[in-house]
Amino acid sequence: MPQALQDNPDDTQLLVPDLALPFPERRSPHWAAAERAVLRWARTTGLAATAREADQMAAHAWGLCAAVATPRASRARLSRMGCWLAWMGVLDDTAESERSRASFAEAVKGIRAVLAGRPPLGRHPLTAAFTDLHQRTRTLGSPAWRTRHTETVAQLLDGLVEEQHVKCQGLPGVAQYVEQRRITGYMPLLYNLTEVVLRCEIPSAIRQTDSFTRLVTASIDAADFINDVHTLRKELAHGETGNLVIVLAHERGITLERALHEAALRIRKAVEDFQIAEQDLHCALQARPLPVLPMGAWQATLTMVDSMHDWIAGLPAYYRASGRYRR
C-alpha cells in the first residue's frame, strides 16, 4: 500500500483548494426534467432495476451534471446527455470494483459486439443501456461523426481494461497516469456527444489544427484533474488509487495534503494552456478566408469552445451537489 494511504489523513486536511476558474457556472433550466428522464430511462433499460439502484441513480444527479456541462442544450438532448452520463457512471463503478470484474468483462464483450454492428451479446444492463443510447444517438451525427464516436467508445473500453491491468501492477507514474486518464476520464466521448447535443459538429479542417488539438488536450486535463481533487475523499474511502493526488503523493513521496495543492496547480496550468490555445485558435480561424471556412464552421467551433468553458466550470458545481461524491 502506498505510504500516503497508510497515513490516514484527517478530512479537514483534504479540503478542495480554491481553483479560481475563469469561466462562469451556468445551468440549464431543464435540469429537473433531465433528472426525471434519466431515472425513467435507467429503469426501462435495467440500469436501475431495483429500488436501491433507482435511489442511488437519483442521488447521483446525472441530469444536473448534463445541465451544468451543456446548459444550452434543448430539453430532449439535455436528457440524452444525462442518460449517457449515467451509463458512464455505472460503467466506471463496474470497472473499478474488484468484486465486479466478471460483470465488467461481460459488459465490455457485449458493447464491443454492438460497436461492430452485431447483435448485443448477453443480457448485461450496461450492454442493453448502451445499445439503446448508441442507436438513438448515431442518427444525430454525420457519417464522419458516427465513425469517430464508434472509435472513441472502443478506445475507452480498451483504456478501462488496460487501467485494470496497470492497477494490478501498482501505482503508475504521474506521466503515465495523465496520459491514460485522457482516455479513461471519459472526456473524449463526452466531447463527441457534446457536438451532437449542441449541434456543433467540428469540421476536420479545424479538428486537425495544432491549436484545436492543444485546446482539447488542455481542457480534458483540466476536467480530469478537477474530478480528481473533488473525488479524492470518496476514492480514499473506497480504497481506490486511480487519482492524480494519490499518484503525485506516491511518486513524490509527499503528503496527500501537499499533493492536493500540487494537483490544484496543475489544474490552473491546464486552464492557462487552454486559454492560450483558445486565443491561438481564434487567430487561426480569422486567418482563414471565408470560402475555405464556411460561416457554419465558425459558429460550430465557437459553440464547442464555449461548451468546454461549461465543462470546466460546471463540473465543480456538480461534484458539490451530487450524492455520488460524498463519503
Side-chain angles (χ1 to χ4, degrees), residues 16 19 30 46 69 71 77 79 88 120-121 125-126 131 186 215-216 221 269 272 299 311 323 325:
V16 176
L19 300 177
H30 305 306
R77 296 198 180 202
S79 296
M88 293 178 211
L121 298 174
L126 276 167
T131 302
Y186 295 86
L215 187 81
V216 171
D221 283 350
K269 179 61 165 59
E272 289 174 5
Q299 188 56 53
W311 278 104
Y325 304 101

Side-chain angles (χ1 to χ4, degrees), residues 208-263:
Q208 295 170 4
T209 61
D210 173 71
S211 53
F212 188 80
T213 300
R214 288 188 289 113
L215 187 81
V216 171
T217 300
S219 62
I220 286 176
D221 283 350
D224 287 342
F225 299 163
I226 287 170
N227 174 275
D228 283 353
V229 300
H230 277 272
T231 62
L232 175 62
R233 287 192 288 178
K234 166 188 172 280
E235 292 181 342
L236 287 172
H238 293 166
E240 282 295 324
T241 58
N243 186 293
L244 176 65
V245 179
I246 296 172
V247 173
L248 277 169
H250 178 67
E251 181 173 284
R252 305 281 176 79
I254 58 179
T255 65
L256 283 172
E257 182 182 15
R258 178 59 189 163
L260 184 61
H261 286 280
E262 288 204 15

